């Protein structure tokens, strides 16, 4: 069967990219289309097709490119594809292909309806003057495109409800793939570190709370620093992104030790999970892959009671939820976290990679590479 994969834009890291990685593994012979590709080394055996926007300065400004995106996705290629599998968190689900037959099937995996457009309260970028001006028109277009005929899957119950509210379509829930088997297979990730990583880890405070994600505003890593100060506990902030300078300034001014670990390797990140007092994830997230990673490593986790991450963390068992949407509430949970026992024997199989591949095959009805049929691994 001739298939095509579609993704908004390809970055060097991110939860959506981890889902796309598995789509490529599921259907390695499928073509791949995106608006632009900022990680050209990511798929060495897959031909990545960029849109016309990739050749313009708009690829460096998602906000300015936003009005053009819905129209860029229309009529991408004159190919007779049998199916399209689309990874969408903005407008990729608008994609159409010239020449597709009447039997063509379209499957949309929804990370979120466009937050800028539908839920600006969840992402402050949606409150910019340009976003507020264009949102009413974009919502009308977005809902119309979603009604054109596709099968939808959402990455969480939180997103499934928002898909129904925004687009008036139904979706099933398929949780993203998390490499829980690999993470839980190593009892002590310190044993997998390089010499320099081991030295870095040993230089950290003996007790610390961990915040790790991309350094962007809605991830609320500044809350981790403030909450750690209130709780009188050191903090480690791991990742990278445009908020780095601001977070470093906060770290230097903090009344408790705060260390920034820039772009940790997988092994170092997993070792940080295991060594931390607790992993704090304060964002209102659509799903939240990193909290599941942390739990697979044996860490306790604090998450917001609103959002997809609250669906994966069982209060009192895996960690705690904070209910007042404030960093002060996070601090209270840090103080109470010792009431939750550290457990490194729990199974998180329901978030595993092979489970994801099996559910994708069942959802699409298209055989997945490496599986004998749509239900069971070879």
């Amino acid at each position: 069967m001739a298939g095509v994969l579609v993704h908004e834009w390809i970055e060097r890291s991110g939860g959506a990219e981890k889902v796309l990685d598995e789509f490529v593994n599921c259907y390695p012979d499928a073509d791949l289309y995106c608006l632009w590709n900022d990680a050209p080394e990511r798929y060495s055996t897959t031909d990545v097709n960029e849109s016309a926007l990739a050749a313009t300065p708009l690829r460096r400004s998602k906000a300015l490119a936003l009005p053009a995106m819905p129209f860029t996705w229309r009529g991408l290629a004159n190919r007779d594809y049998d199916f399209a599998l689309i990874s969408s968190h903005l407008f990729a689900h608008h994609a159409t292909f010239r020449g597709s037959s009447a039997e063509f099937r379209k499957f949309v995996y929804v990370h979120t309806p466009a937050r800028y457009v539908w839920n600006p309260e969840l992402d402050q970028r949606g409150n910019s003057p340009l976003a507020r001006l264009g949102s009413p028109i974009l919502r009308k277009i977005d809902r119309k495109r979603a009604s054109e005929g596709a099968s939808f899957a959402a990455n969480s119950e939180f997103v499934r409800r928002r898909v129904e509210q925004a687009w008036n379509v139904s979706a099933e829930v398929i949780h993203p793939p998390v490499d829980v088997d690999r993470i839980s297979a190593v009892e002590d990730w310190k044993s997998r570190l390089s010499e320099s990583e081991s030295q870095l880890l040993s230089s950290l405070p003996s007790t610390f709370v961990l915040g790790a994600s991309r350094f962007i505003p809605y991830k609320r890593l500044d809350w981790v620093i403030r909450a750690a100060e209130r709780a009188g506990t050191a903090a480690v902030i791991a990742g990278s992104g445009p908020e780095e300078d601001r977070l470093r300034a906060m770290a230097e001014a903090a009344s408790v030790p705060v260390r920034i670990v820039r772009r940790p390797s997988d092994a170092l990140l997993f070792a940080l999970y295991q060594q931390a007092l607790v992993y704090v994830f304060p964002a209102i997230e659509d799903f939240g892959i990193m909290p599941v990673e942390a739990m697979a490593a044996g860490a306790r986790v604090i998450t917001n009671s609103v959002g997809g991450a609250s669906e994966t963390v069982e209060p009192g068992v895996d960690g705690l939820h904070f209910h007042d949407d404030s960093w002060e509430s996070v601090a209270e949970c840090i103080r109470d976290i010792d009431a939750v026992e550290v457990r490194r024997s729990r199974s998180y199989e329901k978030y595993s990679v092979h489970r994801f591949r099996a559910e994708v095959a069942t959802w699409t009805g298209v055989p997945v590479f490496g599986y004998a049929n749509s239900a069971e691994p070879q």
Side-chain angles (χ1 to χ4, degrees):
M1 298 181 71
V4 58
L5 307 177
V6 180
H7 188 69
E8 304 284 357
W9 52 79
I10 300 174
E11 298 188 5
R12 296 186 183 279
S13 63
E17 278 68 31
K18 290 182 179 181
V19 170
L20 181 61
D21 289 345
E22 288 309 318
F23 284 166
V24 171
N25 291 335
C26 287
Y27 303 109
D29 295 329
D31 294 339
L32 175 56
Y33 284 82
C34 63
L35 293 176
W36 54 77
N37 181 11
D38 287 337
E41 73 288 346
R42 193 176 190 102
Y43 304 115
S44 58
T45 60
T46 299
D47 186 22
V48 180
N49 302 276
E50 295 182 305
S51 75
L53 289 179
T56 74
L58 291 177
R59 71 179 293 160
R60 299 302 170 200
S61 175
K62 298 181 181 70
L64 293 178
L66 197 70
M69 291 179 187
F71 309 100
T72 303
W73 286 120
R74 309 299 282 178
L76 287 177
N78 192 14
R79 288 284 307 276
D80 186 13
Y81 291 116
D82 295 301
F83 73 95
L85 179 55
I86 298 170
S87 164
S88 180
H89 58 80
L90 202 56
F91 300 126
H93 59 286
H94 294 202
T96 60
F97 294 88
R98 300 186 302 275
S100 295
S101 67
E103 289 75 31
F104 174 76
R105 292 177 294 163
K106 182 174 175 180
F107 302 93
V108 180
Y109 188 85
V110 187
H111 304 279
T112 177
R115 282 182 170 222
Y116 311 153
V117 175
W118 291 102
N119 298 99
E121 73 280 3
L122 299 179
D123 191 332
Q124 65 185 46
R125 292 171 291 185
N127 291 318
S128 70
L130 183 61
R132 289 199 305 269
L133 179 65
S135 287
I137 297 172
L138 290 172
R139 281 196 293 268
K140 183 176 180 180
I141 295 172
D142 204 38
R143 184 179 287 117
K144 183 176 187 300
R145 298 301 182 221
S147 69
E148 289 178 339
S151 176
F152 293 89
N155 64 359
S156 67
E157 177 62 24
F158 178 61
V159 169
R160 186 202 66 76
R161 292 193 299 267
R162 288 169 48 222
V163 165
E164 185 172 343
Q165 291 165 2
W167 298 339
N168 196 30
V169 298
S170 298
E172 62 181 280
V173 175
I174 298 178
H175 294 304
V178 185
D179 211 352
V180 293
D181 294 331
R182 177 169 71 105
I183 296 170
S184 61
V186 177
E187 184 175 350
D188 187 354
W189 276 96
K190 291 197 297 291
S191 65
R192 303 298 178 92
L193 301 182
S194 67
E195 183 177 350
S196 62
E197 289 174 329
S198 294
Q199 291 174 350
L200 186 156
L201 190 66
S202 63
S203 73
L204 299 178
S206 58
T207 301
F208 63 86
V209 299
L210 174 65
S213 69
R214 287 176 292 155
F215 293 175
I216 54 178
Y218 89 84
K219 297 293 186 179
R220 296 173 166 178
L221 290 172
D222 54 336
W223 284 26
V224 181
I225 297 174
R226 291 191 175 100
E229 281 193 280
R230 175 66 66 89
T233 306
V236 172
I237 306 298
S240 64
E243 288 268 283
E244 182 171 342
D245 288 345
R246 188 171 81 90
L247 292 171
R248 286 191 181 277
M250 290 186 65
E252 291 175 5
S255 59
V256 295
V258 179
R259 290 283 298 275
I260 306 292
V261 177
R262 195 169 188 274
R263 292 184 178 176
S265 67
D266 283 355
L268 180 53
L269 176 62
F270 302 156
L272 287 169
Y273 289 147
Q274 291 183 333
Q275 188 156 314
L277 172 69
V278 62
Y279 173 58
V280 180
F281 191 81
I284 299 177
E285 191 57 273
D286 303 309
F287 174 75
I289 286 177
M290 296 185 79
V292 178
E293 289 181 344
M295 291 186 295
R300 297 172 293 198
V301 179
I302 294 172
T303 69
N304 203 307
S305 62
V306 177
S310 70
E311 300 170 26
T312 63
V313 176
E314 184 179 348
V317 177
D318 304 307
L320 296 172
H321 294 171
F322 62 94
H323 296 276
D324 294 331
D325 195 27
S326 68
W327 62 265
E328 292 91 345
S329 184
V330 176
E332 292 177 11
C333 287
I334 293 173
R335 293 193 189 103
D336 295 339
I337 197 62
D338 283 337
V340 180
E341 181 183 353
V342 177
R343 299 186 182 187
R344 294 188 175 170
S345 59
R346 282 175 59 77
S347 172
Y348 296 94
E349 166 65 23
K350 60 184 176 180
Y351 305 114
S352 69
V353 172
H354 64 82
R355 178 277 321 165
F356 177 78
R357 293 177 182 174
E359 290 185 4
V360 167
T362 300
W363 171 42
T364 63
V366 180
V368 165
F369 181 78
Y371 281 70
N373 55 47
S374 63
E376 299 179 2
Q378 290 182 337

